[in-house]
Amino acid sequence: MKPRIIVSLLGITLAIALVAGGFTLAWFTDEAVPPASPTMTTGTVDFEITGAEFNPGPGVWMPGKCEKFCKEFSWTMTNTGSKRAFFRARLIEKIETIKVGCETAWGEGTRFKKKGNWGMYFIYDGSPQSVKLMAGQHQHAGWVRVGVDDKGLFVKYETINGWRIKETHLEVKNKLGDIPQNPGGPVPGRFTYKNNHAFVTEYTYRPVANASGTLYIAAHAVVVKTASITETAAENVEWKLTDGAGTGWIYNPADKWWYYCRQPVMPGEEITLDLTACLDSDVPMGVYTVELAGEAVQVTHSAINQVWPNNPCGLP
């Protein structure tokens, strides 16, 4: 009798800005089909990766010179089948490194100052409008799009050709003179709308303004250029079981899977994988992505040893 196994891949993706920025999470549906077999036992083996958390929450994750900076991650896996099952999970890691360091970018328009500071503003008159997002004065890094939808006025930053957004600063005023400036030019740090980002490719603001009249818009950003994605994570990122996570999970360095060995997971039961990721002082600037892949196998007929012969659980 052949054991029944089901696989869930790309359960959850966490995009992590290694040097600056926040975090984003995306949930993916299971795409798992058990292999056809006329000798399968009755019942189903199925599960879902239903959620993820991280602590401390969104914010800057800065490596230091003499110590590691760590964050804790928790994935929840639920047995949605009708059979008891054993579980294992694996991290699929990639890093998208930064090719060009931070560049100042502005929505293309008219300069505040004829010489020196090249900060710009443009005018919105109520019609949908798109202006180039110019990095370092001469590089087309994306677009700033302005319009009105069913939610009201919006200003959307979009990048192209591998550029990503690290910071945005936006000011929208009915009078040009109301945009914060000093004798040297505009002062983005004093703009009404501003945010730090985890090297994203788009971001939208919804400023409070009278969209029926002429608007003066100063759209500033700090952007970086990314290189190609590698298939392995930075060597400077270390994963380990979080303190207090218990003894249910065992890591097997031979195949790089985490095995849940404490007991079979009952139908409807939830288990968690609590891991801590630590960055050291030499971690490169970039966007770090980790995907959780999971597998479940039935408890009966010694399936775990047939399907996962190198498992470290030591079960009969």
Side-chain angles (χ1 to χ4, degrees):
M1 181 174 293
K2 296 181 180 179
R4 188 171 189 181
I5 180 173
I6 191 165
V7 181
S8 175
L9 297 175
L10 302 182
I12 294 170
T13 299
L14 296 169
I16 305 171
L18 291 182
V19 175
F23 298 81
T24 60
L25 295 91
W27 282 261
F28 295 80
T29 57
D30 289 335
E31 296 181 358
V33 179
S37 171
T39 60
M40 287 182 179
T41 58
T42 59
T44 59
V45 177
D46 201 0
F47 73 99
E48 294 181 0
I49 303 173
T50 56
E53 298 178 357
F54 45 87
N55 181 51
V60 177
W61 194 9
M62 293 286 290
K65 293 182 178 180
C66 302
E67 60 180 318
K68 294 180 178 180
F69 280 68
C70 303
K71 283 187 178 289
E72 297 176 357
F73 297 83
S74 178
W75 285 271
T76 301
M77 306 171 74
T78 304
N79 184 350
T80 58
S82 62
K83 296 176 68 66
R84 295 178 302 154
F86 291 116
F87 281 67
R88 69 176 183 176
R90 179 167 58 90
L91 301 175
I92 302 171
E93 302 166 274
K94 299 177 183 179
I95 184 166
E96 187 174 2
T97 55
I98 301 303
K99 184 177 181 180
V100 178
C102 299
E103 289 278 3
T104 294
W106 287 92
E108 190 174 45
T110 303
R111 286 195 176 199
F112 285 89
K113 302 292 181 181
K114 292 183 179 181
K115 296 182 179 180
N117 189 308
W118 63 282
M120 295 182 284
Y121 68 90
F122 60 93
I123 296 175
Y124 172 70
D125 60 5
S127 301
Q129 185 174 358
S130 297
V131 302
K132 292 181 178 179
L133 181 65
M134 301 301 296
Q137 300 191 52
H138 307 298
Q139 302 177 76
H140 183 194
W143 300 92
V144 180
R145 306 189 191 278
V146 187
V148 176
D149 59 16
D150 57 350
K151 296 181 180 180
L153 180 68
F154 67 85
V155 179
K156 183 178 182 180
Y157 292 74
E158 298 178 3
T159 57
I160 59 175
N161 299 329
W163 288 96
R164 289 181 177 266
I165 303 168
K166 181 176 179 289
E167 301 174 27
T168 52
H169 304 83
L170 175 70
E171 193 60 88
V172 179
K173 295 294 186 181
N174 293 108
K175 296 180 180 179
L176 180 61
D178 289 341
I179 295 178
Q181 303 175 56
N182 60 27
V187 186
R190 291 167 49 195
F191 287 2
T192 303
Y193 307 96
K194 49 195 171 185
N195 212 332
N196 294 320
H197 309 283
F199 302 130
V200 298
T201 57
E202 61 180 50
Y203 190 78
T204 300
Y205 285 103
R206 293 194 172 274
V208 178
N210 181 9
S212 61
T214 299
L215 295 177
Y216 295 86
I217 299 177
H220 172 266
V222 176
V223 295
V224 297
K225 187 70 174 286
T226 59
S228 60
I229 300 176
T230 60
E231 292 301 321
T232 57
E235 295 178 354
N236 313 90
V237 183
E238 176 188 359
W239 289 87
K240 61 182 180 180
L241 278 175
T242 301
D243 292 341
T247 58
W249 292 93
I250 299 176
Y251 182 68
N252 184 4
D255 58 17
K256 298 182 179 179
W257 283 88
W258 292 89
Y259 290 81
Y260 188 75
C261 297
R262 183 166 57 189
Q263 63 187 21
V265 181
M266 303 297 290
E269 184 180 359
E270 292 184 350
I271 58 173
T272 60
L273 175 57
D274 298 311
L275 295 177
T276 298
C278 296
L279 311 181
D280 65 26
S281 59
D282 297 322
V283 68
M285 180 184 293
V287 179
Y288 177 79
T289 302
V290 57
E291 298 170 346
L292 186 70
E295 290 186 359
V297 67
Q298 69 186 56
V299 172
T300 56
H301 306 294
S302 192
I304 187 173
N305 296 314
Q306 295 182 50
V307 180
W308 304 332
N310 297 319
N311 77 83
C313 297
L315 300 168

